[in-house]
Amino acid sequence: MDGACTNVTDAARLVRLLKVQGFSATECMKRIGGPDRYIPSRCTVDGYEWEVRIHPASKRGTDSTNLWVSLLLSLCSRPRESSVEASLACRLVHPSRILETFQEGSAAGTFSYAGECWHRVFLRRRDDLEGYLKDDTLTIQCAIAVLRPLPVPRIPAEEVPVPSSNLHQHLGDILQSKMGSDVTFLICNESFRAHKSILAARSPVFNAQFFGEMKEKSSRHVVIMDMEPEAFRAMIHFIYTDTVPELEKQEEVLTAMAQHLLAAADRYGVDRLKLICEAKLSRGITVDTAGTTLALAQQHNCSQLKTKCVKFIVSTPEVLDAVLATEGYKHLEASCPLVLTELLKSAHGRNAEA
């Protein structure tokens, strides 16, 4: 069966030939009441400094009669991470066949701090080195390998397309089908069925009516006074779907609907809908609508809409005169006489600037 090959590790490797000249004289380096002495050789592998320690006359275990040639690997640098993995492989090199292995040993370990050594590699007894010495020189080939783990290969995940939220569509379907409705509103001989929990979640006024101490708490029929059925229907639709299709109609129809809908939204505390209506009205102020829109803004605490209406009305003497002649201004005089003072002050200020 064919299969793919994947490298999961990498390694930095260094091979060196170490020569111990005057080998016969190293027998005096045997241990006498303490650790045996060694010959150091330093090198750098993978950015770390290492020391290979050659012990030419060391004891091995319980063998007290023979001396061995052994080597140790020591880390001289601090690990970049918590530890570093490394190994030491050694072999004696015959003078006549330099690349052929006649005696080999290896040791590997984890180095956690500078100065740490790992298992000793024993090559051969000193008495068995005949043939490996030339001119009283012993040659040892050492290979140091430092393990470098590769990042775990990751298969890039195919992104699963997630459709946009359609919660408003499902809630709109529930409103349309009237499935599970538990309250009916009566407005001007028209009825609207809805769900108390959804209305209460979106309106603090409905929440107080249905889950507070008001009389509608247990009632399944609620009569709404002083509201246009179309505005109430649009508000209920917004509560379920967070959309207002009625505000996408022609400008003349839009202004009237936005005015009625703003009043309904303010009445039931549907603040987002109120702001949407306020924004729509502020972009469509005309001579014919300025008076009624200003009265609406005053009555329902729409400060930004009110400011825009006042600025429009006093923008020029011609606009002011035209607004004063409309039915909307007469409605403003009758319903909000206090706002007229603000109009006069703004007009006077504009004249003073001119």
Side-chain angles (χ1 to χ4, degrees):
M1 180 179 67
D2 294 335
C5 180
T6 302
N7 291 332
V8 295
T9 61
D10 187 18
R13 195 166 185 267
L14 175 69
V15 179
R16 302 183 71 184
L17 290 178
L18 304 180
K19 293 187 176 183
V20 182
Q21 297 177 333
F23 181 77
S24 58
T26 61
E27 186 174 358
C28 66
M29 298 178 70
K30 63 184 177 181
R31 179 172 53 194
I32 302 177
D36 50 293
R37 290 177 288 168
Y38 59 85
I39 303 169
S41 175
R42 293 205 171 192
C43 59
T44 301
V45 185
D46 194 31
Y48 293 105
E49 187 176 8
W50 302 89
E51 184 176 79
V52 177
R53 299 176 180 179
I54 304 172
H55 296 260
S58 60
K59 294 291 184 68
R60 184 175 187 178
T62 58
D63 184 359
S64 59
T65 59
N66 295 295
L67 296 177
W68 289 71
V69 176
S70 65
L71 295 92
L72 275 173
L73 179 65
S74 174
L75 174 64
C76 302
S77 307
R78 294 179 60 183
R80 291 188 290 268
E81 304 295 336
S82 59
S83 62
V84 57
E85 306 281 342
S87 66
L88 172 68
C90 310
R91 64 181 178 179
L92 295 174
V93 180
H94 195 275
S96 60
R97 306 179 66 182
I98 194 167
L99 295 179
E100 184 175 343
T101 300
F102 289 89
Q103 185 73 16
E104 186 172 12
S106 63
T110 301
F111 296 81
S112 302
Y113 56 88
E116 186 174 12
C117 302
W118 257 91
H119 302 297
R120 191 186 297 261
V121 177
F122 289 92
L123 289 181
R124 180 164 287 205
R125 293 181 299 181
R126 289 181 64 93
D127 295 340
D128 297 334
L129 292 177
E130 186 178 355
Y132 294 102
L133 295 172
K134 182 180 180 180
D135 299 329
D136 199 25
T137 298
L138 181 67
T139 302
I140 304 172
Q141 186 184 65
C142 295
I144 301 173
V146 179
L147 191 65
R148 295 184 296 200
L150 296 175
V152 177
R154 297 181 181 275
I155 301 175
E158 293 186 7
E159 188 170 339
V160 178
V162 179
S164 57
S165 174
N166 59 355
L167 176 62
H168 64 286
Q169 295 176 356
H170 292 301
L171 292 178
D173 291 342
I174 291 177
L175 176 64
Q176 186 69 25
S177 67
K178 305 176 179 58
M179 180 179 62
S181 61
D182 55 0
V183 63
T184 301
F185 295 94
L186 303 174
I187 308 174
C188 298
N189 299 322
E190 290 192 42
S191 62
F192 302 89
R193 290 168 59 183
H195 307 78
K196 292 181 179 180
S197 295
I198 295 178
L199 298 178
R202 300 274 280 164
S203 162
V205 177
F206 282 131
N207 183 60
Q209 283 183 340
F210 300 135
F211 299 99
E213 299 302 322
M214 300 178 69
K215 65 179 181 179
E216 288 91 347
K217 181 175 183 180
S218 59
S219 175
R220 295 183 59 88
H221 295 83
V222 179
V223 178
I224 303 294
M225 305 295 291
D226 302 324
M227 185 175 293
E228 292 291 330
E230 286 299 320
F232 186 81
R233 179 184 291 108
M235 182 185 69
I236 294 297
H237 185 271
F238 178 85
I239 286 176
Y240 278 74
T241 67
D242 212 41
T243 61
V244 199
E246 291 79 3
L247 295 186
E248 304 302 326
K249 298 178 180 179
Q250 295 180 352
E251 198 65 33
E252 299 79 7
V253 179
L254 184 151
T255 299
M257 172 55 74
Q259 290 176 342
H260 290 300
L261 199 49
L262 186 148
D266 184 52
R267 178 172 172 177
Y268 285 95
V270 187
D271 293 336
R272 174 173 159 77
L273 177 58
K274 180 181 175 181
L275 288 173
I276 291 174
C277 295
E278 188 175 353
K280 288 285 185 180
L281 290 170
S282 67
R283 291 194 294 267
I285 300 173
T286 66
V287 169
D288 293 328
T289 64
T292 54
T293 301
L294 178 55
L296 188 74
Q298 176 70 17
Q299 293 165 350
H300 297 283
N301 299 310
C302 302
S303 57
Q304 296 183 67
L305 180 59
K306 177 181 175 180
T307 300
K308 290 204 170 188
C309 287
V310 171
K311 286 184 177 180
F312 174 83
I313 293 172
V314 301
S315 58
T316 67
E318 293 76 16
V319 171
L320 177 59
D321 291 341
V323 171
L324 294 179
T326 63
E327 291 297 323
Y329 183 77
K330 294 178 182 178
H331 169 71
L332 177 65
E333 284 184 306
S335 58
C336 305
L338 293 178
V339 81
L340 299 180
T341 303
E342 295 183 42
L343 269 178
L344 289 173
K345 289 181 179 179
S346 298
H348 178 72
R350 178 60 59 90
N351 293 332
E353 292 176 4

